[in-house]
Amino acid sequence: MKVYYFDLYGRAEPIRLLLTHAKAEFEDVRLTGESWQEFKADSEKCKYGQVPVFEKDGKFYPQGGAILRYLGGVHGYYPEDVEARFTVDEITNLLDSDFLPKIGETIFYSKSDEERKEGFAKLVEEHYPKFFGFLEKQLTSNSSQEFMVGDSYTIADFVAIAAYISHVQHPHRKDQIEPLLDTTPTLKAYFDTRAADFKDYINNLPECSI
Amino acid sequence: MKLYYFDVYGRGEPVRLLLTHAKAEWEDVRVTGPTWQEFKADKDKCKYGQIPVLERDGKYYSQSLAILRYVSGLHGYYPEDLELRFQADELTDLIAEDFAMTIVKKVFFVKDEEEKKQEWSKLLEEHFPKHFGFLEEQLKGNSSNEFLIGDSYTMPDFVLLSTYISHINHPNRKDDLQPILENYPLLKAYFEARTPDFKDYLDNLPECSG
């Protein structure tokens, strides 16, 4: 099994976390420059010209969200019950589609360092607190405060922990982001508890910009 | 059941099409102006300050794709088999996010008329052909050319038909898009096969900008 992505956390990190937790052996392939151009040009491996792509038994699976749900199904992290599955989808999509892209846009697509700094300051003031608030609400209304949905790992947890790695604990951002968690104590405790399950993994994380 | 959304096709249309095909009893609630402000302010109904929202048995469900997967699960449009389910997720994200949301962001949300026109031309040249090509490949490789996966309706069919309504057959855009569709005969035939199932619905569509 292989996970192909850039040398970033980004859209691959939830998949890497899931496979790590499932103790599934996989090769963490990080494409850059030439190797990316080569992979991108191979329409059998890289159907839509994008990554992440997951490879298993000679088949190539594109689209990060679909990969996550597939592996969630294979390894028991995606509920069969339609109501529970809805909540997992709700939180996963909240993070994937509403929370993360806006941050990525500011970091990657700002036209100047000044614009990036100002844009990020606005995110710290409004965007991060808003979404930490949503997650706090989910945790406090959930049966367990130690998982996003139900009382065991689902794909929603892997997306949340990836956000923790990419943002809350990220060397470039933790000074601004970590203090925000003081107003969402349940979420803070959730991250502490969940990160402990990935102690070795987190200690050996490559340094990435996002 | 009620679906709350704006008086547009947008992110609500796939759910409307699915519920119509399923012959489910539901109310198509279109919020505008004051009714939108009222709904938005109600945190029990409108958890994230966004729509669409589905109401069912007194519960309120947010996040358009989570709602779509939920009603797909309720009505038998979400495959049980993990490999087929992967395809359903892959195509849904491809069409709803990569294909449709790009058009929304690059054209619909742009205010400057000149920029809008330029972006639209670029999409006609690259974006539409690229994605029509992906869908043509999917249909070519499928057991039936008349459905995206297998030989019956699944979740991504409703997303694709929604783009037919929003774009390919839209009064403001069909003159630009139907010529492009001519280059993708399987996709063209797919729409010809599927749209008669929605004849009454399509004949009675409210006029919306997108």
Side-chain angles (χ1 to χ4, degrees), chain B residues 121-140:
Chain B
S121 295
K122 265 171 75 185
L123 293 181
L124 291 177
E125 223 182 280
E126 296 165 3
H127 186 74
F128 281 101
K130 182 166 116 170
H131 284 88
F132 286 2
F134 291 148
L135 295 165
E136 187 83 359
E137 278 305 300
Q138 174 62 28
L139 290 166
K140 197 187 282 184

Side-chain angles (χ1 to χ4, degrees), chain B residues 10-23:
Chain B
R11 288 186 181 280
E13 203 59 27
V15 179
R16 291 178 180 136
L17 286 164
L18 186 153
L19 294 176
T20 300
H21 188 264
K23 295 185 165 49

Side-chain angles (χ1 to χ4, degrees), chain A residues 8-77:
Chain A
L8 299 171
Y9 310 124
R11 289 185 179 280
E13 204 59 27
I15 299 167
R16 293 174 181 138
L17 286 164
L18 184 157
L19 293 171
T20 300
H21 189 265
K23 295 184 167 45
E25 277 211 39
F26 72 103
E27 196 184 324
D28 182 11
V29 181
R30 295 178 182 238
L31 301 163
T32 51
E34 249 181 71
S35 63
W36 165 230
Q37 290 310 320
E38 202 183 309
F39 189 82
K40 188 178 183 177
D42 188 333
S43 54
E44 273 191 45
K45 296 184 178 177
C46 192
K47 205 186 217 181
Y48 304 119
Q50 293 177 325
V51 282
V53 167
F54 174 70
E55 179 189 346
K56 178 186 167 193
D57 297 336
K59 268 187 79 173
F60 293 83
Y61 300 75
Q63 293 287 342
I67 297 167
L68 198 60
R69 284 181 177 82
Y70 175 72
L71 294 175
V74 169
H75 295 285
Y77 301 116

Side-chain angles (χ1 to χ4, degrees), chain B residues 6-88:
Chain B
F6 300 117
D7 189 17
V8 296
Y9 311 125
R11 288 186 181 280
E13 203 59 27
V15 179
R16 291 178 180 136
L17 286 164
L18 186 153
L19 294 176
T20 300
H21 188 264
K23 295 185 165 49
E25 277 213 39
W26 64 289
E27 197 185 323
D28 184 11
V29 181
R30 296 182 181 236
V31 293
T32 51
T35 60
W36 166 227
Q37 292 310 318
E38 200 183 314
F39 189 83
K40 190 177 182 176
D42 187 333
K43 293 285 156 250
D44 286 332
K45 295 184 179 178
C46 193
K47 207 187 222 181
Y48 303 116
Q50 291 179 326
I51 44 181
V53 165
L54 180 81
E55 179 191 343
R56 181 178 183 251
D57 294 340
K59 270 186 77 177
Y60 293 84
Y61 300 77
S62 295
Q63 291 289 328
S64 63
L65 292 179
I67 295 168
L68 185 65
R69 201 172 277 104
Y70 177 68
V71 293
S72 294
L74 290 177
H75 295 284
Y77 301 116
Y78 194 53
E80 298 270 325
D81 170 75
L82 287 186
E83 299 295 325
L84 293 175
R85 179 183 287 186
F86 171 81
Q87 282 188 55

